[in-house]
Amino acid sequence: MIPTDYTSLPLEIADLPMRLEVGDFPERRWVECASCIEGDPVGQGTDEAQSWAAEHLRRHPAHDRFRIVSMTAWRLAPGSAERKADES
């Protein structure tokens, strides 16, 4: 899991200094059916997801497995953690 309480973490890849940047990217969260991958955006609670799943199950009785998916984009940026600190 990528920590979301840090804006950058120092990384070394092929001897090139890199940093992981998380903070500036949006997060998406959705509920989806594990059978057909149909889904819908949801908020932080589970009520919306349960309502959507119940309606989906009513329309597709064999689709009884669901998941809530959260996606956060991130990037590897060239540079060192020291340079990032200097930019602040």
Side-chain angles (χ1 to χ4, degrees):
M1 182 172 182
I2 299 171
T4 57
D5 55 341
Y6 299 101
T7 56
S8 67
L9 298 172
L11 299 173
E12 294 290 329
I13 297 178
D15 296 327
L16 297 173
M18 303 290 280
R19 67 178 182 273
L20 176 67
E21 295 182 346
V22 178
D24 296 336
F25 297 96
E27 182 178 346
R28 291 182 47 214
R29 190 169 189 267
W30 66 93
V31 60
E32 70 182 23
C33 172
S35 298
C36 70
I37 316 300
E38 183 180 334
D40 203 42
V42 294
Q44 289 300 316
T46 58
D47 291 346
E48 288 176 274
Q50 288 177 355
S51 295
W52 183 89
E55 177 60 24
H56 187 79
L57 181 62
R58 186 186 66 72
R59 290 183 286 125
H60 307 280
H63 297 196
D64 59 358
R65 296 179 318 124
F66 303 92
R67 58 185 158 241
I68 295 175
V69 182
S70 179
M71 180 174 60
T72 302
W74 53 276
R75 69 185 287 255
L76 288 176
S80 67
E82 291 80 26
R83 194 174 102 202
K84 178 69 175 176
D86 292 340
E87 293 172 0
S88 301

